[in-house]
Amino acid sequence: MALAKLANFNWERLISKAHSPEVERAVQLLHAKANEIATSSAVYVKPPEPIDFAAYKSRLRFTAGAVDKLEESYKSMSVPAYSATVPAFESKKRALIFSVVKSTVTAAEADLAALKEQLNTFESSRFNEESTVADAMKKFPHLAEEIEKEITNHEWLKA
């Protein structure tokens, strides 16, 4: 199950979110390791071929009794099943970490929205080649008033 998730993981999407070469390289290395695990696991997914004890008996005639004992021992052996459980404290710790990460992401998204709003405000009020004096007067009414006052009072060389 975990191997299927690893094989179906969208690495390109994760790599596209990397904003520095170091992070991108680390993700690429992780991707390479995941590919290595996936390819090597293909070898071990299928069960091993059964042992042909009869062939060994015919080849090892002088120790056929030993082969019989090995066969009996092999067939009586049981391999323990793998079962892993996560301790309760570890589950709680992971849940807390996940909630902290989730709240951090939410806060970062809120900050990002506020920064985008500030950027839009800045971009909309920014001067460029197409800006006019009227745009400047609208943006800085106190300066426009001062300029009009100086023109009215004929203060041409005010220091």
Side-chain angles (χ1 to χ4, degrees):
M1 183 171 136
L3 194 58
K5 285 183 181 180
L6 187 64
N8 295 329
F9 189 78
N10 189 352
W11 291 100
E12 285 73 29
R13 189 171 132 211
L14 184 62
I15 291 169
S16 69
K17 291 183 180 184
H19 297 295
S20 71
E22 295 84 18
V23 173
E24 188 173 333
R25 184 176 185 288
V27 173
Q28 290 283 8
L29 288 172
L30 188 62
H31 184 201
K33 194 61 159 173
N35 285 342
E36 181 184 328
I37 290 169
T39 54
S40 67
S41 70
V43 174
Y44 303 108
V45 169
K46 54 188 173 204
E49 295 180 17
I51 299 172
D52 186 9
F53 286 102
Y56 286 113
K57 279 184 197 177
S58 65
R59 278 191 240 148
L60 304 170
R61 283 176 276 177
F62 62 94
T63 59
V67 172
D68 287 334
K69 287 182 181 179
L70 279 173
E71 182 178 10
E72 181 184 318
S73 173
Y74 180 76
K75 290 186 177 178
S76 68
M77 179 176 45
S78 63
V79 178
Y82 176 75
S83 62
T85 56
V86 178
F89 76 90
E90 186 67 27
S91 296
K92 287 179 184 176
K93 182 174 140 185
R94 289 179 185 179
L96 286 173
I97 290 171
F98 182 71
S99 67
V100 168
V101 167
K102 201 171 188 179
S103 64
T104 304
V105 167
T106 304
E109 286 173 347
D111 287 347
L112 183 62
L115 287 172
K116 282 183 179 179
E117 182 65 34
Q118 287 179 354
L119 180 63
N120 289 337
T121 304
F122 174 74
E123 290 290 335
S124 66
S125 64
R126 189 170 151 183
F127 286 103
N128 56 28
E129 302 88 29
E130 298 168 3
S131 299
T132 62
V133 173
D135 294 336
M137 298 295 186
K138 282 182 193 173
K139 187 170 182 178
F140 304 106
H142 63 285
L143 290 178
E145 184 180 314
E146 186 179 332
I147 291 169
E148 286 299 320
K149 187 177 171 185
E150 288 175 4
I151 291 172
T152 306
N153 296 334
H154 298 287
E155 298 174 0
W156 308 111
L157 298 173
K158 189 174 178 183

